[in-house]
Amino acid sequence: MAGLAESAVEEAALAWLGDLGYKILYGPDIAPGGPAAERGDYGEVVLKDRLREALARLNPTIPPEAREDAFRKVTRPESPVLITNNRTFHRRLVDGVAVEYRLSDGRIKGDRVLLVDFEQPENNDWLAVNQFTVVEGQHHRRPDVVVFVNGLPLGVIELKNPADEAATVWTAFNQLQTYKLQVPSLFAYNEIMAVSDGLEARLGSLSAERERFHPWRTIEGEDLAPPTLCRLEVLLKGVFDKERFLDLVRHFVVFEEDRGTVAKKVAGYHQFHATREAVASAVKASSPEGDRRGGVVWHTQGSGKSLTMVFFAGKIVLHPAMANPTIVVLSDRNDLDDQLFGVFARCQEIVRQKPVQARDRAHLKELLQVASGGIVFTTIQKFFPEERGNEFPCLSERRNIVVIADEAHRSQYDFIDGFARHMRDALPGASFVAFTGTPIELTDKSTRGVFGDYISIYDIQRAVEDGATVPIYYESRVAKLDLKEEEKPHLDREFEEVTEGEEVARRESLRTKWAALEAVVGTEKRLGLIAQDLLDHFDKRLEAMSGKAMVVCMSRRICVDLYNTLVKLRPEWHSEDDTGGALKVVMTGSATDPVGWQQHIRNKKRREDLALRFKDPDDPFKVVLVRDMWLTGFDVPCLHTMYLDKPMQGTA
């Protein structure tokens, strides 16, 4: 489409929407004579007439006065804050508008007025308007394309001329940001925002920053569209197809609230299609004829795997064939359990219930002995019986229990003689869907035998191409191991801490090897070399770009010792106060840990406060030392360097 005028891009976009069955109203630059889109009252006509007609058509049994009450609630914003109005509207769009009316016998009945028919897309009124005029205060704005469903402006598309070097997809993005400020009444109803320069096309949400506008590279399914196909066409046909659009709006939009800040997020194409496939597979697996193997979703680290799990849970809890299922979210480490629970808790509107974290084995048994419903978070270790050698008691034989297993191919998921066998004893009818950020080994027949084969693959190469993750550049920096004879005795004393979270049998087999290695890695001489090399390297990195660094150590003891070594070289980095200092250790611990560790052991609230500091690119907190915390589901765009000083398995 290179060389086409901006109006030609608009015309092509409208033609593609017309192919999808939308009624099209062209603007004056395209249609001869100028259509109704230029009429000053058109906005009122769309919102009032089409919405009222839809309310009557979709809710014939609800009295007109109740429908009018719903109309007033939808069309009159309740807050001066745009994101608050948008969140309220989204909830009403998905669940209906709550109303009350009096029955003939005098009783008051509560009901819901539907704004959209999600089950039958053709039962809705679909309209795309070119150059739709919006007047608010002193501002007159005309977005290129506004998509209406039942008179509600759910989509806004801004287009630029591909022949104009100064007008890029980001120019269109900036224009949408201006529209949000100047004509917010239009965006109170917005579900999808799209931008394109005729060559590149991206999709985002109302609150999304530039880096959260992602390409949509498929139409029918997960397979990428041919590269010869215009990206704008792929996005429009992939997203604005009536069935997919309603599914996206209903199940793939979340409002994630964290400490008073609300972020609206919409799924990427890989999350959308993976979730649809995973739900279909899980429903089949849990049926009377199913084999309980829902399959494996492999989405690379940094591509939003945790949010994909939220979308999966939110969609499957509403599936009629599942009859109000119980969802068990399973991980193998406490920090992963906390991280996933936090994501679900912040997005609980979409899963339509409050998730619960199992405190211990007794609490887990209590949570799972229910007739239906519930989202339960637990680590797999809680399925170990009280007495070694015993079977874990059967808690439920229901087949509408779905276990979402995180990183399911790790050694802890041994189905022959490990924790996972006890979980099967407890939930013999449950179906399993696995989510992982790393590929399963070809020789791992156990995992595929339990969970099934891949149902979705989104690897690092595709994630980098989409801009979902940044390219990873690896540099080997070798610090030789050296150990004096007098340092060799009693190497096992740190073993419990080094292998925390490992399965009991595996911990025993690793005891001598890992304890010895930890002692060698953490010698004073070696840590001195590591500290000086880290500072020299990071200083050079900061000369090239501003940002932050994470250092991943083998043990908590090494984290503390390396911290002490670094602050000897850079004393200005140290601060006893959590609100100050450039260097911190983030780890868990207890009062029984050594006195020298206590300054680094913080409760959950203090760790969350440090996380906010680290995510702020302007905060002086620049370097963090961790063992296994903050390694998954921790989104920090300003973190550009990771130093790994621990054994790595499965690497080339």
Side-chain angles (χ1 to χ4, degrees), residues 513-633:
K513 184 179 82 170
W514 279 77
L517 182 59
E518 192 269 352
V520 174
V521 168
T523 59
E524 182 179 351
K525 177 181 178 181
R526 184 176 180 277
L527 289 184
L529 294 173
I530 290 289
Q532 188 60 62
D533 184 60
L534 189 154
L535 292 175
D536 292 342
H537 184 269
F538 189 55
D539 286 344
K540 293 178 181 177
R541 292 283 287 166
L542 292 181
E543 291 175 4
M545 68 179 78
S546 62
K548 305 196 176 190
M550 175 181 286
V551 186
V552 184
C553 301
M554 183 177 175
S555 70
R556 294 185 300 153
R557 195 267 301 178
I558 292 176
C559 284
V560 174
D561 288 352
L562 182 56
Y563 178 92
N564 294 332
T565 305
L566 285 168
V567 296
K568 286 180 181 178
L569 298 171
R570 296 281 173 88
E572 69 275 14
W573 280 14
H574 172 74
S575 175
E576 297 286 345
D577 192 340
D578 284 359
T579 63
L583 176 69
K584 298 291 181 185
V585 177
V586 174
M587 67 183 198
T588 57
S590 67
T592 61
D593 286 320
V595 174
W597 296 17
Q598 294 302 319
Q599 63 173 311
H600 305 295
I601 297 173
R602 300 171 176 86
N603 59 25
K604 185 176 181 181
K605 170 66 166 55
R606 291 176 64 195
R607 292 196 302 271
E608 289 175 349
D609 290 340
L610 278 185
L612 291 177
R613 283 193 61 200
F614 199 62
K615 292 178 181 182
D616 181 358
D618 299 322
D619 193 286
F621 179 15
K622 296 294 184 184
V623 180
V624 65
L625 305 174
V626 302
R627 187 190 72 175
D628 53 17
M629 303 197 75
W630 288 9
L631 294 182
T632 60

Side-chain angles (χ1 to χ4, degrees), residues 72-79 85 188-189:
R72 285 192 297 269
K73 289 180 178 179
V74 170
T75 57
R76 294 178 183 176
E78 299 175 355
S79 169
N85 289 329
Y189 306 96

Side-chain angles (χ1 to χ4, degrees), residues 352-626:
R352 291 168 174 79
Q353 53 202 301
K354 186 176 181 179
V356 181
Q357 201 170 17
R359 297 186 301 270
D360 47 37
R361 291 183 180 88
H363 190 214
L364 176 65
K365 293 177 182 179
E366 177 186 336
L367 293 173
L368 292 180
Q369 289 176 319
V370 295
S372 63
I375 298 180
V376 178
F377 281 75
T378 181
T379 56
I380 198 168
Q381 288 84 353
K382 291 185 176 67
F383 282 96
F384 201 73
E386 299 289 347
E387 297 294 332
R388 189 172 180 83
N390 292 348
E391 289 187 1
F392 199 90
C394 178
L395 302 180
S396 176
E397 295 184 349
R398 288 191 291 119
R399 292 190 69 94
N400 67 336
I401 296 176
V402 179
V403 177
I404 303 176
D406 186 38
E407 299 298 348
H409 58 289
R410 291 201 281 232
S411 61
Q412 287 86 344
Y413 292 79
D414 177 8
F415 274 75
I416 299 173
D417 193 31
F419 291 117
R421 180 179 66 81
H422 297 297
M423 182 175 59
R424 277 299 179 111
D425 292 339
L427 304 172
S431 297
F432 292 77
V433 177
F435 287 78
T436 180
T438 53
I440 293 174
E441 297 177 12
L442 295 176
T443 57
D444 186 3
K445 296 180 181 178
S446 175
T447 297
R448 294 198 305 277
V450 171
F451 295 98
D453 290 324
Y454 288 121
I455 55 179
S456 176
I457 296 177
Y458 188 71
D459 59 23
I460 184 66
Q461 180 178 351
R462 188 182 290 191
V464 170
E465 290 172 356
D466 292 346
T469 61
V470 296
I472 297 174
Y473 299 97
Y474 173 76
E475 177 185 352
S476 177
R477 305 181 70 81
V478 178
K480 293 183 179 180
L481 302 177
D482 185 22
L483 185 64
K484 297 177 182 178
E485 283 297 321
E486 61 268 22
E487 293 175 321
K488 291 183 179 179
H490 310 299
L491 296 182
D492 280 1
R493 63 180 179 273
E494 299 288 346
F495 174 77
E496 295 298 325
E497 185 255 316
V498 175
T499 59
E500 181 183 328
E502 292 282 354
E503 185 183 337
V504 173
R506 179 156 176 77
R507 291 173 71 184
E508 293 302 318
S509 68
L510 293 177
R511 175 176 292 276
T512 301
K513 184 179 82 170
W514 279 77
L517 182 59
E518 192 269 352
V520 174
V521 168
T523 59
E524 182 179 351
K525 177 181 178 181
R526 184 176 180 277
L527 289 184
L529 294 173
I530 290 289
Q532 188 60 62
D533 184 60
L534 189 154
L535 292 175
D536 292 342
H537 184 269
F538 189 55
D539 286 344
K540 293 178 181 177
R541 292 283 287 166
L542 292 181
E543 291 175 4
M545 68 179 78
S546 62
K548 305 196 176 190
M550 175 181 286
V551 186
V552 184
C553 301
M554 183 177 175
S555 70
R556 294 185 300 153
R557 195 267 301 178
I558 292 176
C559 284
V560 174
D561 288 352
L562 182 56
Y563 178 92
N564 294 332
T565 305
L566 285 168
V567 296
K568 286 180 181 178
L569 298 171
R570 296 281 173 88
E572 69 275 14
W573 280 14
H574 172 74
S575 175
E576 297 286 345
D577 192 340
D578 284 359
T579 63
L583 176 69
K584 298 291 181 185
V585 177
V586 174
M587 67 183 198
T588 57
S590 67
T592 61
D593 286 320
V595 174
W597 296 17
Q598 294 302 319
Q599 63 173 311
H600 305 295
I601 297 173
R602 300 171 176 86
N603 59 25
K604 185 176 181 181
K605 170 66 166 55
R606 291 176 64 195
R607 292 196 302 271
E608 289 175 349
D609 290 340
L610 278 185
L612 291 177
R613 283 193 61 200
F614 199 62
K615 292 178 181 182
D616 181 358
D618 299 322
D619 193 286
F621 179 15
K622 296 294 184 184
V623 180
V624 65
L625 305 174
V626 302

Side-chain angles (χ1 to χ4, degrees), residues 27 55 84-85 151 178 183 223 247 286 416 455 527 563:
L55 295 183
T84 301
N85 289 329
T178 301
V183 287
D223 293 338
D247 196 23
S286 64
I416 299 173
I455 55 179
L527 289 184
Y563 178 92

